[in-house]
Short mmCIF file of all heavy atoms in Angstrom, two decimals:
data_model
loop_
_atom_site.label_atom_id
_atom_site.label_comp_id
_atom_site.label_asym_id
_atom_site.label_seq_id
_atom_site.Cartn_x
_atom_site.Cartn_y
_atom_site.Cartn_z
N LEU A 910 -18.91 10.12 2.84
CA LEU A 910 -19.45 10.69 4.07
C LEU A 910 -20.77 11.41 3.81
O LEU A 910 -20.91 12.18 2.87
CB LEU A 910 -18.44 11.67 4.68
CG LEU A 910 -18.87 12.41 5.94
CD1 LEU A 910 -19.03 11.43 7.09
CD2 LEU A 910 -17.88 13.50 6.30
N LYS A 1061 -41.03 4.74 24.57
CA LYS A 1061 -42.31 5.37 24.28
C LYS A 1061 -42.36 6.69 25.04
O LYS A 1061 -41.90 6.77 26.18
CB LYS A 1061 -43.47 4.48 24.73
CG LYS A 1061 -43.59 3.18 23.94
CD LYS A 1061 -44.77 2.36 24.43
CE LYS A 1061 -44.91 1.07 23.64
NZ LYS A 1061 -46.05 0.24 24.12
N GLY A 1154 16.31 -12.35 29.62
CA GLY A 1154 17.52 -12.62 28.83
C GLY A 1154 17.30 -12.35 27.36
O GLY A 1154 16.75 -11.32 26.97
#
Side-chain angles (χ1 to χ4, degrees):
L910 177 66
K1061 293 181 179 179

